[in-house]
Amino acid sequence: MTGTLHGNPGEPNPLRALDLERLRCRTSMKWRTYPEDVLPLWVAEMDVPVAEPVVRAVTDALALGDTGYPAGTAYAEAFAAFAADRWGWQGIAVARTAIVPDVMLGVVEMIKLVTGPGDPVIVNPPVYPPFFQFLAHMDRKVVEAPLGSGQRLDTAVLEATFRAATAGRGRAAFLLCSPHNPTGTVHTADELAAVAALAERYGVRVVADEIHGPLVAPGVPFVPYLSVPGAERGLSLMSASKGWNLAGLKAALALAGPEAAMDLDRLPEEVGHGPSHVGVIAHTAALREGTGWLDALLAGLDTNRRLLGDLLAEHLPAIRLHPAEATYLAWLDCRALGLGDDPARVFLDRGRVALNSGLPFGTGGAGHVRLNLATSPEILAEGVRRMAAALPAGRAGS
């Protein structure tokens, strides 16, 4: 399983296709939450045009009036082929998949299948804030098992947490973020096998959010959780939405390991009515025909990661950049700047650049920000310059 590029190396970098004037014509959350003088480098939307195969598929569907309810297994078949080619994973059985509205709503439905109200659900902070929000609204008890050294899974902490969570209780789940958001950590096969072994030992059900799987850096292997030994009772959520910037075209896949098929069979039939049929068409086209576009994007993201490191070294050397192996998000440790627990507020108020505050990511988030680097190099450079301009003279560090 590798992160090898498979597309046409001549395809242009989509991150260079749109300038700021054009991007400000967008009406989505990223571009409408803040006033126009704010540069938005926050929520997970990419500043890219839609891949041509997706545009063509959606346009053809609209021209045909094919805008009804989703049906069939085309999405699952396309993802299975993509996973086999991209990750060397032959393990997706279409019969053990279901279409769900999106990854987080799919997570909710999977957690409902394997836990009940009041049951503990373990997460690894700092982690995607909706994990906390959705679990709380489901009346589940959120239990933290923080990431360890190097922002990696700490199996000792995880085991202690599994043991405590299951002591005297009937059920518990582990909501795994893989690759990890916000750190960009890609969990190794050995780490995931250790998770599977611990889950089996303590009777914890693993639900893996793998939405960023297509976005690993070149040369970095992504390992699907259900592909590791011992993960047969696991459940996973996957989607093309992050890789191809299709969040507005709602669709995702729930996948079950061989011993979790009966759980997935209990998924309420009405859940399958929630995805967008046009979204399913778009995601299927991306997976089947959009790999060249994806590879051009991955190369562009790799360039931007290096650029961000250079920009921070020049303008904000006191910020510690965690080296990401996946996603288009950067996790920045700003504690040395002396801006308090929420530096994102300072960067917004004084620098007019919007970043995600680290506080909602749970333990380990204070003093951090998350930056979205899926934009043009010029916009990225302007964002860092604004961050530096927000600081008093001499505060940037050395």
Side-chain angles (χ1 to χ4, degrees), residues 344-379:
R345 173 54 57 185
V346 177
F347 292 132
L348 176 63
D349 291 344
R350 300 179 188 169
R352 310 308 288 162
V353 56
L355 309 169
N356 286 97
S357 168
L359 292 175
F361 291 82
T363 298
H368 291 69
V369 299
R370 191 188 74 173
L371 180 149
N372 179 346
L373 53 79
T375 190
S376 71
E378 293 77 18
I379 291 175

Side-chain angles (χ1 to χ4, degrees), residues 96-166:
R96 295 199 305 272
T97 68
I99 301 173
V100 293
D102 59 29
V103 162
M104 272 314 303
L105 290 179
V107 164
V108 167
E109 295 299 334
M110 297 304 105
I111 294 290
K112 286 180 180 178
L113 292 176
V114 298
T115 66
D119 285 339
V121 180
I122 297 143
V123 299
N124 303 126
V127 73
Y128 186 49
F131 280 15
F132 298 97
Q133 298 159 356
F134 278 80
L135 292 173
H137 292 159
M138 294 170 64
D139 192 25
R140 271 35 172 200
K141 179 184 178 182
V142 179
V143 178
E144 293 191 353
L147 295 176
S149 175
Q151 301 287 7
R152 306 207 69 86
L153 294 173
D154 187 322
T155 54
V157 169
L158 205 56
E159 179 168 17
T161 307
F162 281 14
R163 184 189 304 115
T166 55

